[in-house]
């Protein structure tokens, strides 16, 4: 629980002070798109860490495992130590022990906004996964159901990726295949067909019959004489 509170940036924990410092710095430098993005990220962090907490440590288990048991002191001791430090270490920034390297300050406005975002994420996780009166399958309010479905489906990031990037790639592949099979291959087949037809026509001219060659030659000579005499070809 203490680890989850620290990750969620709960007031008084080390996570709260480190998160508040970053968010306040973004606002102070007027990088508002980053400021709101950080607030949204803080809300998501609070939500998903306490979603895990409520699903693991509250409610009835989905299955009963006889081998599940509490950890012994070898796990309790470091966990308790870390839990204490999650609260105690954060106050080093406000003490003179390591000053001035570890000195810091918190602005009231930023601290309140950061705390509200943290509480909101924890509250939403409790409503959707922690409270037995509000099981996610029984929620009737459409807005809450829509938000719960959005988080359950990871904000539809996978669907967006499949629709835009994967779908776009597949569409591009289909267009490329169509152009390749109908345009490129069509041009190649067309050039080949022209060569075949032209070759067939030329082959028919070369039939090896001497009388045919003589007749063609006479026709060509008569055609040239007609063009020269009657159409003025060759006249200056």
């Amino acid at each position: 629980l203490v680890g989850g509170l620290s990750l969620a940036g709960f007031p008084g924990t080390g996570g709260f002070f480190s998160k508040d410092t970053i968010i306040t710095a973004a606002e102070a430098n007027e990088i508002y798109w980053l400021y709101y993005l950080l607030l949204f990220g803080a809300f998501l962090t609070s939500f998903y860490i306490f979603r895990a907490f409520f699903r693991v440590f509250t409610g009835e288990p989905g299955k009963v495992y006889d081998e599940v048991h509490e950890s012994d002191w070898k796990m309790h001791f470091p966990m308790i130590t870390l839990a204490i430090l999650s609260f105690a270490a954060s106050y080093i920034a406000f003490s003179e022990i390591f000053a001035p390297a570890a000195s810091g300050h918190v602005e009231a406005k930023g601290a309140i906004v950061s705390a509200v975002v943290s509480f909101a994420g924890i509250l939403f996780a409790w409503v959707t996964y922690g409270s037995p009166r509000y099981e996610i399958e029984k929620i009737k309010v459409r807005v809450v159901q829509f938000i719960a479905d959005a988080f359950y489906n990871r904000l539809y990031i996978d669907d967006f990726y499949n629709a835009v990037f994967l779908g776009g790639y597949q569409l591009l592949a289909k267009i490329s295949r169509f152009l390749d099979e109908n345009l490129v291959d069509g041009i190649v087949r067309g050039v080949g067909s022209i060569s075949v037809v032209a070759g067939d026509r030329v082959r028919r001219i070369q039939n090896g019959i001497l009388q045919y060659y003589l007749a063609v030659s006479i026709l060509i000579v008569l055609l040239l004489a007609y063009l020269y005499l009657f159409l003025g070809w060759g006249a200056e």
Side-chain angles (χ1 to χ4, degrees):
L1 176 60
V2 173
L5 290 174
S6 183
L7 287 173
F10 192 81
T13 63
F16 171 78
F17 292 106
S18 60
K19 178 188 69 174
D20 179 76
T21 303
I22 299 173
I23 294 175
T24 302
E27 184 184 22
N29 288 276
E30 298 183 351
I31 311 176
Y32 293 110
W33 65 268
L34 180 61
Y35 171 73
Y36 291 110
L37 189 63
L38 288 172
L39 288 179
F40 182 65
F43 171 78
L44 289 181
T45 304
S46 301
F47 172 78
Y48 76 70
I49 194 64
F50 271 88
R51 172 184 179 272
F53 175 81
F54 288 128
R55 295 202 65 177
V56 173
F57 296 105
T58 63
E60 297 296 328
K63 295 181 180 180
V64 177
Y65 297 95
D66 296 334
E67 298 180 1
V68 176
H69 56 83
E70 184 58 82
S71 303
D72 56 17
W73 69 269
K74 292 189 295 294
M75 287 298 298
H76 281 170
F77 179 76
M79 290 174 63
I80 293 174
T81 303
L82 291 174
I84 295 174
L85 290 176
S86 294
F87 284 96
S90 61
Y91 295 96
I92 295 177
F94 299 91
S95 66
E96 297 182 357
I97 300 176
F98 298 101
S103 62
H105 67 281
V106 173
E107 296 183 0
K109 176 185 175 182
I112 293 174
V113 172
S114 181
V116 169
V117 170
S118 177
F119 276 115
I122 296 173
L123 178 62
F124 187 69
W126 178 78
V127 170
T128 52
Y129 295 100
S131 174
R133 296 177 300 158
Y134 296 97
E135 296 180 7
I136 192 63
E137 293 81 9
K138 297 180 180 180
I139 294 178
K140 302 301 181 180
V141 181
R142 293 184 178 181
V143 176
V144 177
Q145 184 66 54
F146 171 78
I147 297 175
D149 291 340
F151 281 110
Y152 179 79
N153 291 283
R154 298 175 294 279
L155 299 178
Y156 301 101
I157 294 176
D158 292 341
D159 297 323
F160 174 79
Y161 177 85
N162 292 330
V164 176
F165 295 100
L166 184 59
Y169 175 79
Q170 292 176 342
L171 178 61
L172 180 61
K174 291 179 180 179
I175 294 175
S176 300
R177 179 178 179 180
F178 175 81
L179 294 177
D180 180 67
E181 293 180 350
N182 295 275
L183 182 61
V184 178
D185 290 351
I187 293 175
V188 173
R189 287 193 296 267
V191 173
S193 299
I194 293 174
S195 301
V196 172
V197 173
D200 182 68
R201 296 297 183 269
V202 174
R203 180 183 60 80
R204 293 181 182 181
I205 296 175
Q206 300 293 331
N207 53 17
I209 301 176
L210 183 60
Q211 294 87 340
Y212 175 79
Y213 295 157
L214 181 60
V216 171
S217 299
I218 293 173
L219 288 175
I220 292 175
V221 170
L222 292 175
L223 178 61
L224 293 175
Y226 173 79
L227 295 174
Y228 180 80
L229 296 174
F230 296 99
L231 298 182
W233 281 29
E236 298 183 1

